[in-house]
Amino acid sequence: MLGTGPWAHRTHAPALAAHTGSEFAGVWGRRPEAAAELAQAYGVKVYEDPDALFADCDVVAFALPPDVQAPLAVRAAAAGCHLLLDKPVATEVEDARAVADAVKRHGVASVVFLTLRFAEPTSGWVAEQAARSGWFTAAAHWLGAVFPPDGAPSAYADSPWRKAKGGLWDVGPHALSVLIPVLGEVAEVSATRGPSDVVQLALRHSSGAASTAVLSLGAPRAAAGVGLELRGAEGVFSLPGWSDVPGAYGRALDALLDSARTGVPDPRGAEFGARLTEILAEAQEQLPAG
């Protein structure tokens, strides 16, 4: 595993340690003392050099900021490692494409951990909706209180990239990861700003359906929440709640191992991750600075 932040402590490490189909081998981090502490907690090796970890391991799990993750993922793929990536894969299209190209070039498997696509019951719900037709519209919102105006920030508030990029890049991938498999590829996107870091996306999909997504990490605590509603010829369908994020991460690892065994690329892999970066970058270009 690469990374030692709150996400690594709360999700990645416990899921890797509990996974019965693999062996949690070691940790590398940009802060050696944090890597040593995390490695000691799980009784695994601490690595001072990521390339040494790549040489020892078959799969690399990433818990790093996106633009730190991307170049290391390219190196890991070149070393023959399968990639369990975090979202977004990168915030620059060129970097995200480099990861997807490295996966293809070196013949490794990849999965991007998009929580709603692996958690239960949301994963099954997405598959059910993707099998329907006649969609008309959809509305999503992911309003986090990571940087709330009315209280203490969350454990993820010390993340410089989240402060710089906001909800568009942090939670935008989650919304898109559901809208795209159900409504089809994004054919057109427009974006506007609201208060704090609020971004509203208006999307036109290849199916002809239209959708919106309102995204933020700076919502007031009383306004925070997640929801997604689909409307079409078969009725109205709402995203169910979910829990057990470490369990979802374990299922993402299962999907990666299955892809590695079969040689069949997972639809939630680096190529999909690169497409998400392209859509978000197009939206970003339409927003005024600041």
Side-chain angles (χ1 to χ4, degrees), residues 1 11 14 26 33 43 47-48 92 110 114 116 131 137 167 171 176 186 196 221 241 258:
M1 181 179 72
T11 297
E33 68 283 0
Y47 285 85
E48 297 180 1
E92 297 291 337
S110 66
L114 296 153
L116 300 179
T137 190
V171 297
L176 291 172
V186 172
S196 182
R221 292 190 176 278
D258 184 63

Side-chain angles (χ1 to χ4, degrees), residues 104-210:
K104 293 177 184 176
R105 182 166 60 253
H106 299 292
V108 299
S110 66
V111 161
V112 182
F113 181 50
L114 296 153
T115 310
L116 300 179
R117 299 294 299 279
F118 295 101
E120 292 298 347
T122 56
S123 176
W125 182 87
V126 171
E128 289 174 5
Q129 308 322 312
R132 302 182 192 275
S133 59
W135 292 115
F136 182 63
T137 190
H141 67 269
W142 194 303
L143 305 174
V146 177
F147 309 108
D150 56 351
S154 83
Y156 302 102
D158 289 332
S159 169
W161 82 267
R162 286 185 174 88
K163 290 180 181 177
K165 293 296 186 179
L168 174 66
W169 287 94
D170 188 26
V171 297
H174 291 308
L176 291 172
S177 77
V178 174
L179 294 171
I180 291 173
V182 176
L183 302 181
E185 177 58 87
V186 172
E188 186 177 349
V189 57
S190 61
T192 58
R193 282 200 185 277
S196 182
D197 71 326
V198 171
V199 171
Q200 181 169 5
L201 303 181
L203 308 168
R204 183 172 61 83
H205 296 266
S206 58
S207 65

Side-chain angles (χ1 to χ4, degrees), residues 54 62 72-83 99 102-103 106-108:
F54 301 156
F62 292 82
L72 286 168
V74 171
R75 283 162 57 182
C81 297
H82 306 294
L83 310 179
V99 176
V103 165
H106 299 292
V108 299

Side-chain angles (χ1 to χ4, degrees), residues 38-102:
L38 188 57
Q40 183 178 15
Y42 287 92
V44 300
K45 182 177 179 179
V46 60
Y47 285 85
E48 297 180 1
D49 177 9
D51 292 300
L53 184 148
F54 301 156
D56 286 351
C57 298
D58 300 309
V59 173
V60 179
F62 292 82
L64 294 168
D67 295 324
V68 177
Q69 168 179 248
L72 286 168
V74 171
R75 283 162 57 182
C81 297
H82 306 294
L83 310 179
L84 184 50
L85 300 159
D86 219 338
K87 56 76 204 162
V89 171
T91 63
E92 297 291 337
V93 171
E94 182 179 359
D95 294 339
R97 276 282 145 216
V99 176
D101 291 346

